[in-house]
Amino acid sequence: MRPEGEGLVGLADGEVRSGEGAGSAPGPARMLSNLNEWLWQERFWLPPNNSWAQLEDRDGLVYAHPRDLLASLPLALALVVVRIVFERFVGLPLSRWLGVRDRSRRQVRPNAVLEKHFLVEGPRPEESQLALLAAQCGLTLRQTQRWFRVRRNQDRPCLTQKFCEASWRFVFYLCSFVGGACVLYHESWLWAPVNCWDNYPEQALKPALYWWYLLELSFYISLVMTLPFDIRRKDFKEQVVHHFVTILLITFSYSANLLRIGSLVLLLHDASDYLLEACKMFNYTRFRLACDALFVVFSLVFFYTRLVLFPTQILYTTYYESIINRGPFFGYYFFNALLGLLQLLHVFWSCLILRMLYNFTRKGRMEKDIRSDVEETDSSEGEPDAEHPPLKNGAVRGPRAAPEDAEGPRSRAAGRLANGHTPAS
């Protein structure tokens, strides 16, 4: 068994003794102690015929201990603070310098009934609900639909916010990749992953690898902390799964002393992540050529690292080479299951990138990120399109004559401007 206090939920000896003498029913301290002992059974974490005693610090050698990861929690909070300061004093001025401009958005006219439905029931009411709300507010169906469209647009993140978030992630991923490459460059297992299993699990921990690992774990914990405030894209659920799988992989690989193979997984992912964030940053600016070039480079690096190197080098060595001289154990199956789930996410994102590449080859330039929502216009949801189909030259046919009291003078003015022209000021 792992010695007392060695696990993440280790208890003090005094607490355990007080729980033992409490009487017939075990106290919370005793129950927690039993859970701690069960969780840290060697058969879960280590190969057969290995024990925690082999991983005790001795003779100047330091080994990975799960309790070391507790430092990631305050470090994650510190990263959140650093991110806020960075986005305010670096990201925002940089966005202005690069010419990022937010579109001016119409503000909805205050309406307590519609606002309550928007916040409680959801931003996209059904047709029957729209008709009922219109009757309650004394509005037409078209006016109610337009109110919800404009209200949804108000909640969408602006370009400046997107740029600041991308710039923070770009800086971290770039520093992490460069730092990780420096840490691993002279290690044999970077060039031959089979060396990850030499003398496993008795592999000493180097300080540089520990700090890099701790920083990566803290960063992903900080991303989970800020999920409610970050920009929500269409792959939000997949991003949440990715964050939790990454945190589990880092935590488990450190606790089971699988640091060598874990470090290769981190480096492979960082190799393309900073390129993606750089591509986003230029996509929000007017530097279209730089954006298009970065997108092509990112796509090639992503496909090579996630669809070639990851399955042929990482998955192969963890599935087959890791058990050549030792039998499988629970940690072997758990670790490989997490890596397999990560690979499924790689395939999912590869499909999205292929769609963007297809659009890129057709139009000659990178379009918007297909994971992002776009602002809705008055022609969204197909409302006017059904009544006023486009002409051959792409203009919109104006509405036919309607009674004056149908929508008032503003409707008649909108009808005269339906061809897309604006009056001279």
Side-chain angles (χ1 to χ4, degrees):
M1 300 297 175
R2 196 164 184 81
E4 193 69 40
E6 195 68 21
L8 293 175
V9 291
L11 298 171
D13 290 338
E15 293 176 323
V16 175
R17 292 194 188 98
S18 63
E20 289 175 348
S24 57
R30 181 60 179 173
M31 294 175 61
L32 194 57
S33 175
N34 292 337
L35 176 62
N36 185 53
E37 292 179 3
W38 175 85
L39 177 64
W40 295 105
Q41 294 181 72
E42 293 158 350
R43 63 190 180 92
F44 291 156
W45 302 85
L46 301 175
N49 304 319
N50 288 273
S51 66
W52 292 119
Q54 298 172 248
L55 302 182
E56 291 300 320
D57 300 341
R58 63 184 183 276
D59 302 328
L61 298 177
V62 177
Y63 293 91
H65 302 293
R67 63 173 178 264
D68 302 337
L69 297 180
L70 290 173
S72 64
L73 298 177
L75 187 55
L77 290 174
L79 283 177
V80 173
V81 175
V82 172
R83 172 183 173 175
I84 294 173
V85 174
F86 177 89
E87 291 186 359
R88 175 66 180 84
F89 296 102
V90 179
L92 187 58
L94 181 61
S95 69
R96 292 170 177 168
W97 183 69
L98 292 175
V100 179
R101 294 291 181 267
D102 295 328
R103 293 178 56 184
S104 58
R105 292 174 176 171
R106 293 169 50 190
Q107 299 296 312
V108 295
R109 184 172 298 176
N111 189 305
V113 175
L114 299 183
E115 183 69 23
K116 180 179 179 181
H117 189 281
F118 184 92
L119 297 175
V120 177
E121 301 295 334
R124 295 182 180 275
E126 300 292 336
E127 193 73 21
S128 57
Q129 294 175 317
L130 282 172
L132 181 60
L133 291 170
Q136 291 177 353
C137 300
L139 302 172
T140 65
L141 182 61
R142 181 71 58 81
Q143 289 171 332
T144 308
Q145 291 170 331
R146 186 179 297 115
W147 189 96
F148 275 97
R149 274 198 307 276
V150 176
R151 182 64 180 84
R152 285 194 295 269
N153 283 337
Q154 285 183 197
D155 283 357
R156 287 190 169 87
C158 58
L159 284 181
T160 301
Q161 182 183 352
K162 292 180 179 181
F163 181 92
C164 290
E165 180 180 301
S167 63
W168 161 248
R169 297 192 184 194
F170 166 76
V171 169
F172 179 86
Y173 287 134
L174 179 61
C175 293
S176 179
F177 175 69
V178 173
C182 293
V183 170
L184 300 181
Y185 182 77
H186 297 290
E187 302 294 348
S188 61
W189 67 83
L190 174 63
W191 314 105
V194 68
N195 293 333
C196 290
W197 315 110
D198 288 348
N199 202 34
Y200 176 77
E202 296 185 57
Q203 297 170 346
L205 174 65
K206 295 184 178 180
L209 182 58
Y210 164 73
W211 285 110
W212 181 49
Y213 231 72
L214 186 66
L215 191 63
E216 289 273 9
L217 176 59
S218 302
F219 177 73
Y220 282 102
I221 293 177
S222 72
L223 290 183
V224 173
M225 290 179 177
T226 57
L227 273 176
F229 315 103
D230 286 343
I231 296 169
R232 211 174 237 221
R233 293 183 169 87
K234 294 178 181 178
D235 64 342
F236 175 77
K237 294 179 181 178
E238 290 79 12
Q239 285 283 358
V240 172
V241 172
H242 172 267
H243 294 343
F244 279 103
V245 169
T246 303
I247 291 172
L248 277 175
L249 276 170
I250 296 176
T251 304
F252 183 84
S253 61
Y254 189 92
S255 302
N257 210 26
L258 292 165
L259 285 161
R260 293 186 177 183
I261 192 65
S263 62
L264 296 184
V265 174
L266 290 176
L267 190 66
L268 274 184
H269 284 73
D270 289 342
S272 60
D273 285 342
Y274 75 93
L275 291 171
L276 172 62
E277 301 304 330
C279 185
K280 289 181 187 177
M281 291 169 61
F282 282 106
N283 190 38
Y284 304 139
T285 66
R286 293 168 294 182
F287 301 98
R288 302 302 312 174
L289 185 60
C291 175
D292 295 342
L294 276 172
F295 176 65
V296 174
V297 174
F298 158 72
S299 301
L300 295 176
V301 174
F302 185 93
F303 292 144
Y304 181 65
T305 55
R306 309 290 180 95
L307 300 184
V308 179
L309 287 181
F310 190 82
T312 61
Q313 300 295 321
I314 303 300
L315 293 183
Y316 177 81
T317 193
T318 55
Y319 272 93
Y320 301 107
E321 296 175 338
S322 64
I323 56 174
I324 290 178
N325 298 320
R326 60 190 65 83
F329 59 107
F330 173 80
Y332 164 83
Y333 297 108
F334 183 72
F335 189 67
N336 280 292
L338 291 177
L339 291 178
L341 182 57
L342 202 58
Q343 182 61 17
L344 290 178
L345 291 173
H346 295 165
V347 173
F348 169 78
W349 281 313
S350 297
C351 293
L352 296 184
I353 295 172
L354 285 173
R355 287 176 57 189
M356 296 178 70
L357 279 173
Y358 174 73
N359 293 332
F360 178 81
T361 55
R362 285 181 55 204
K363 301 179 180 179
R365 64 191 293 268
M366 179 186 167
E367 294 297 314
K368 68 177 183 68
D369 186 347
I370 60 175
R371 303 173 304 151
S372 301
D373 290 330
V374 293
E375 293 192 20
E376 298 170 278
T377 62
D378 285 344
S379 61
S380 295
E381 301 178 3
E383 294 161 11
D385 294 341
E387 297 181 13
H388 318 306
L391 299 175
K392 291 182 179 180
N393 62 357
V396 180
R397 187 188 302 276
R400 296 183 180 181
E404 286 194 10
D405 57 349
E407 296 236 0
R410 292 185 61 185
S411 246
R412 297 196 304 275
R416 290 195 297 269
L417 301 177
N419 59 359
H421 296 288
T422 56
S425 56

